[in-house]
Amino acid sequence: MSAWHSEGQKDPPMNRISDYFGELTFGIAQMREKLPKEAYQNLIKTLEQGKKLSPETADAIASVIKEWAAQKGATHFCHWFQPMTGLTAEKHDSFISIQHAYYSDTRVMERFSGSQLIQGEPDASSFPSGGMRTTFEARGYTAWDPSSPLFIIEGKRGHTLCIPTVFFGYHGEALDNKTPLLRSNQVLSKEACEFLKLLGDVDVKSVTATLGAEQEYFLIERSLAEQRPDLILTGRTLLGSPSTRGQQLEDHYFGAIPSRVKAFMEDVEYESYRLGIPVKTRHNEVAPSQFELAPIFEGATIAADHNTLLMDTLKKVAYRHEMLCLTHEKPFAGINGSGKHCNWSLCNDKGENLLEPGNTPHQNLRFLAMIAVVLKAVHTHASVLRAAIASAGNDHRLGANEAPPAIISVFLGSLLENILTNITEGVASQATEAQIIHLGVSHIPDISKDYTDRNRTSPFAFTGNKFEFRAVGASANVSVPVSILNAAVADILKSATQDLRGLLAKKSGSRDEAIMELIRNYTSQSKAIRFEGNNYSQAWRDEAKKRGLPILSTTPEAVAVLHQEAATAFLVSTQVLSRAEIEARYHIAVERYNKTIQIELLTLLDLARTYVVPALEAQLHESFSIQSHFTESKAKSAGAARVKDLQNLYGELLEHLTALTSKTQEIAALQSEETQMQSLSKEAIPLMEKLRFACDRTELLVADKHWPLPKYRELLFSQTLS
């Protein structure tokens, strides 16, 4: 039976996607159709000019929204936002209002006002503020973000209207991840327009960051996952010996999708399309039971909302299909982990991709100038970009065979790398005739639009018309790294505008020569960030150190950057984050890291004590009992050796268990969060690895009947073989 029937829902229709795409959303297009002309124009002024909505306009908008939502079966509404921990948050209120009449006669009616649409006041006391608020100052506000469409989440006995909002404190501090993203998009547009006008795009009105976030995930049989406390409590396996068959045959990647998984994907896509999420690609990933879903590019702010919605949808639909969806960066040791490759670009109000070569000399000069700006932005602000992707989960993934290392570098591809090198050195490019860029400045011919190979080891790779930020983890909220990237580029765009003005004055108005000089300067200054080779090699680590690139291997090293005022000054100058908001995010990152590792540590101790040790004791008892009945010398000798191995392992297991328990108590007694973080990273995690190693050896030595936990071979291949 279809999983849809279990919730009273119908199977996805067989008609065209375009017939139901966005049917559960209410955005600008619907408002243009439903609103009075004046109210719609006031809304557009709010979006384009930042003007506040009048109460009358807000009520008019709320009225048409309520009517639409009621027709869709909505009984409740909520302000949907992105707090600084977790993905999303929501508090539901019903549309009902009470009207009292004579003799205590109470009438219930549906009501939704403009004030309810625009602003909410959730109890913010339990949301992290990083010290921006005290316990008795717990007031927080949500405010409608009209740039993102409203949407409906369906339930069994009524649906909920979700209003995308930002979340801020009593004094205006951003308490969420969406507000900095909106700020960054705004300042990026402003600085990009100023720069582009100097390049000759005098009519440009706005520039938008675009984003396509590829989402990787694992699907596990739910009945098996529920037998693993580590999967349920931490999202990853804290112990488990690798299966004899993993990904070494390389037969899962792009292979035939198992029928049960395909049914799950079809349901995810159906729900996504109805929510206006333009998912495009589905396929098997490298590891067994690992898959990927990728959308079409959208504006970065909407794409961020859609990615969080997509992650919720993946988990909900998986549950209905009797599966568990894992978005942890490294659920299983020894095989690939999961990332969220953020494909990022810039687009002007004419729809032109600014990171794509064009058909005219001007477009290609603009392309090279924007590439030069992004390179300098990544080089200048590499350490903060690294901090933006830091998490306990991503520490397990970065640097492994499927993910780039923690050293931020840029891959351009051989042709573009040669072009920029030749520009820097002032010599002609050597390529095919159609690809040559002459440095006479007055004439810049076409650049091939498909001229670069891919480098899967690069954390920030140019892929033809966009940069792919591959180092972002699968569980991350993309609002965080994208807001930092936007701010970094906006900061360098501002400098580029000033520098280009100075060069124009020196070049006596020869714009092309001045632009080319800027490109030459910026590509020369950022050369250290460019690397075309194997990012996994020790040779690259040595070279990166020589180049002075930040090598921040762990989350504690990375988040410490947020305490460096010089490193984070660009976030303040671009007004993406205030100094207090940066400090708050540092403390939240430390707290999040500490609590994550502590939960994993305690869960591992519990597994070792209550699952692994008893299994080994059962095996020891059985093996000793059997060995005691041996009479022949060879069998008796072999049995004694096996018992001895088990006894040695038992002692080793208890030794590591005792050491980790002791270390846990020591760390709990530490008063400073920073000291706790350092101790967890440098002392507790190595002890956890030793305990895990002993547990995994135990799994291999005890009889299957004694091992109480589902093994990797069961967890990873149940879907593949279904």
Side-chain angles (χ1 to χ4, degrees):
M1 178 180 290
S2 167
W4 290 84
H5 294 154
S6 65
E7 296 218 354
Q9 293 173 299
K10 298 179 180 179
D11 284 319
M14 300 300 293
N15 52 328
R16 297 175 302 179
I17 294 171
S18 57
D19 291 339
Y20 57 88
F21 185 85
E23 68 179 11
L24 295 180
T25 63
F26 196 87
I28 295 301
Q30 292 82 359
M31 291 184 189
R32 181 174 60 243
E33 179 183 339
K34 300 283 188 181
L35 282 175
K37 185 177 180 180
E38 183 179 356
Y40 176 74
Q41 289 175 341
N42 289 339
L43 175 61
I44 296 302
K45 288 179 181 178
T46 296
L47 288 171
E48 294 182 351
Q49 303 173 22
K51 293 188 175 181
K52 291 186 177 181
L53 285 174
S54 67
E56 294 77 17
T57 299
D59 284 337
I61 295 172
S63 177
V64 299
I65 289 173
K66 188 198 76 171
E67 181 181 354
W68 170 79
Q71 290 174 350
K72 294 291 185 182
T75 58
H76 290 68
F77 69 93
C78 75
H79 278 197
W80 180 85
F81 58 98
Q82 302 172 23
M84 287 187 284
T85 54
L87 281 176
T88 61
E90 54 196 59
K91 182 186 79 171
H92 296 199
D93 287 301
S94 71
F95 282 118
I96 67 166
S97 178
I98 293 178
Q99 185 179 52
H100 294 283
Y102 294 110
Y103 307 109
S104 300
D105 181 19
T106 301
R107 296 180 182 179
V108 173
M109 58 185 294
E110 278 74 24
R111 181 176 179 273
F112 184 57
S113 67
S115 60
Q116 289 173 307
L117 166 67
I118 289 176
Q119 182 174 308
E121 189 182 335
D123 180 3
S125 59
S126 294
F127 289 106
S129 70
M132 288 188 290
R133 297 169 300 142
T134 56
T135 303
F136 61 87
E137 293 175 327
R139 191 182 296 271
Y141 299 95
T142 51
W144 176 38
D145 171 20
S147 66
S148 289
L150 295 86
F151 57 93
I152 287 177
I153 296 296
E154 295 179 313
K156 283 186 179 180
R157 293 180 176 83
H159 308 330
T160 302
L161 171 68
C162 296
I163 305 165
T165 60
V166 297
F167 182 44
F168 55 96
Y170 184 74
H171 299 292
E173 308 95 342
L175 301 178
D176 65 343
N177 291 319
K178 183 70 177 291
T179 299
L181 180 60
L182 291 170
R183 292 172 181 169
S184 74
N185 217 45
Q186 183 172 299
V187 70
L188 178 64
S189 179
K190 174 181 176 293
E191 300 299 348
C193 286
E194 290 295 316
F195 182 62
L196 290 173
K197 286 174 182 177
L198 281 185
L199 296 185
D201 291 359
V202 294
D203 57 345
V204 63
K205 296 179 181 178
S206 65
V207 171
T208 302
T210 61
L211 179 66
E214 304 170 20
Q215 182 69 52
E216 294 176 341
Y217 60 94
F218 281 83
L219 287 177
I220 305 300
E221 189 76 49
R222 198 172 90 209
S223 61
L224 294 174
E226 288 174 346
Q227 298 176 53
R228 298 276 316 211
D230 48 358
L231 277 178
I232 299 302
L233 297 176
T234 73
R236 74 181 186 99
T237 55
L238 299 176
L239 55 86
S241 180
S243 170
T244 53
R245 176 184 171 184
Q247 63 186 52
Q248 62 266 51
L249 294 177
E250 300 178 336
D251 56 343
H252 191 252
Y253 189 55
F254 276 28
I257 300 173
S259 58
R260 187 173 170 202
V261 173
K262 187 169 179 288
F264 157 82
M265 289 178 169
E266 288 169 348
D267 284 356
V268 168
E269 289 170 350
Y270 174 62
E271 289 206 6
S272 298
Y273 292 143
R274 297 179 73 209
L275 288 168
I277 306 173
V279 291
K280 177 73 172 177
T281 303
R282 64 189 184 205
H283 64 82
N284 292 0
E285 256 300 333
V286 175
S289 287
Q290 186 187 32
F291 307 93
E292 181 178 295
L293 197 60
I296 298 174
F297 280 64
E298 300 179 279
T301 56
I302 294 177
D305 281 357
H306 280 169
N307 182 255
T308 58
L309 262 180
L310 181 62
M311 293 176 73
D312 285 339
T313 302
L314 285 167
K315 293 179 182 296
K316 291 175 183 176
V317 175
Y319 193 86
R320 293 204 297 263
H321 282 257
E322 301 297 330
M323 294 186 281
L324 187 70
C325 177
L326 303 175
T327 56
H328 192 284
E329 284 75 15
K330 197 74 170 180
F332 302 97
I335 61 173
N336 281 17
S338 296
K340 195 198 305 279
H341 303 161
C342 290
N343 295 280
W344 176 92
S345 191
L346 296 170
C347 183
N348 64 18
D349 52 301
K350 296 179 181 179
E352 296 174 326
N353 185 344
L354 302 179
L355 295 181
E356 184 171 29
N359 299 315
T360 67
H362 168 72
Q363 290 172 336
N364 285 329
L365 192 61
R366 181 181 67 190
F367 162 73
L368 291 173
M370 295 305 297
I371 290 289
V373 165
V374 174
L375 287 173
K376 186 170 182 183
V378 176
H379 179 246
T380 304
H381 302 302
S383 61
V384 184
L385 286 169
R386 168 66 181 96
I389 59 168
S391 71
N394 218 15
D395 280 357
H396 295 290
R397 167 181 169 265
L398 292 177
N401 287 339
E402 81 289 353
I407 305 170
I408 300 296
S409 66
V410 178
F411 168 81
L412 293 176
S414 57
L415 178 62
L416 188 52
E417 176 65 31
N418 288 338
I419 289 172
L420 294 184
T421 298
N422 291 335
I423 288 175
T424 303
E425 296 175 356
V427 299
S429 295
Q430 299 298 315
T432 65
E433 185 176 348
Q435 295 172 336
I436 291 176
I437 287 188
H438 298 289
L439 299 182
V441 176
S442 60
H443 175 66
I444 301 179
D446 292 349
I447 301 172
S448 169
K449 295 187 180 181
D450 187 16
Y451 54 82
T452 183
D453 198 357
R454 297 187 70 187
N455 186 333
R456 298 182 65 85
T457 73
S458 176
F460 199 83
F462 185 69
T463 56
N465 61 358
K466 61 188 182 298
F467 282 97
E468 184 180 17
F469 199 177
R470 294 179 56 84
V472 181
S475 67
N477 185 325
V478 295
S479 295
V480 177
V482 174
S483 62
I484 301 301
L485 177 57
N486 285 351
V489 174
D491 177 58
I492 301 303
L493 280 167
K494 184 173 184 178
S495 299
T497 299
Q498 297 170 349
D499 292 343
L500 185 53
R501 285 198 178 107
L503 289 170
L504 284 169
K506 290 181 181 179
K507 298 291 182 179
S508 302
S510 177
R511 183 164 60 197
D512 286 356
E513 289 185 10
I515 296 170
M516 188 59 77
E517 184 66 23
L518 179 80
I519 295 169
R520 183 178 293 111
N521 292 342
Y522 277 25
T523 53
S524 176
Q525 294 164 12
S526 61
K527 192 177 189 309
I529 205 73
R530 287 150 43 196
F531 181 67
E532 300 294 300
N534 180 6
N535 286 256
Y536 297 148
S537 66
Q538 182 60 42
W540 164 236
R541 293 181 63 87
D542 296 339
E543 176 63 23
K545 188 175 181 180
K546 289 180 183 177
R547 296 185 184 188
L549 298 181
I551 301 177
L552 308 169
S553 301
T554 65
T555 290
E557 293 173 287
V559 299
V561 172
L562 300 180
H563 255 176
Q564 300 173 11
E565 290 194 14
T568 58
F570 75 100
L571 296 173
V572 179
S573 64
T574 56
Q575 298 184 332
V576 170
L577 289 171
S578 68
R579 183 59 60 194
E581 289 168 340
I582 296 169
E583 182 71 12
R585 278 152 179 78
Y586 166 77
H587 289 295
I588 289 170
V590 172
E591 180 185 35
R592 185 76 168 183
Y593 180 86
N594 288 351
K595 289 181 177 178
T596 298
I597 302 301
Q598 287 168 347
I599 290 171
E600 291 184 351
L601 191 159
L602 293 173
T603 303
L604 176 59
L605 287 174
D606 183 57
L607 287 173
R609 291 192 191 106
T610 60
Y611 287 80
V612 180
V613 170
L616 182 52
E617 290 172 340
Q619 183 63 60
L620 258 172
H621 181 271
E622 180 179 285
S623 297
F624 183 80
S625 177
I626 293 172
Q627 189 269 340
S628 66
H629 289 86
F630 287 155
T631 57
E632 296 181 10
S633 60
K634 288 185 179 180
K636 190 175 183 68
S637 176
R642 173 170 171 76
V643 170
K644 185 65 174 176
D645 287 343
L646 291 171
Q647 288 175 329
N648 289 338
L649 178 57
Y650 187 66
E652 183 181 332
L653 183 61
L654 292 180
E655 179 185 345
H656 294 320
L657 184 56
T658 301
L660 186 56
T661 301
S662 176
K663 181 56 63 177
T664 301
Q665 294 169 349
E666 287 179 21
I667 293 173
L670 296 173
Q671 298 299 313
S672 165
E673 286 188 336
E674 285 86 352
T675 306
Q676 275 194 350
M677 179 175 64
Q678 294 300 327
S679 185
L680 286 166
S681 176
K682 296 178 180 179
E683 300 172 21
I685 289 178
L687 289 176
M688 290 173 68
E689 292 172 350
K690 289 181 179 180
L691 178 57
R692 174 177 183 150
F693 183 68
C695 290
D696 292 354
R697 285 174 58 207
T698 303
E699 180 185 332
L700 293 174
L701 290 178
V702 304
D704 198 58
K705 64 180 179 180
H706 295 313
W707 191 252
L709 299 168
K711 298 183 177 182
Y712 272 23
R713 66 170 182 263
E714 299 162 317
L715 293 168
L716 291 170
F717 289 96
S718 60
Q719 298 305 322
T720 304
L721 302 178
S722 63

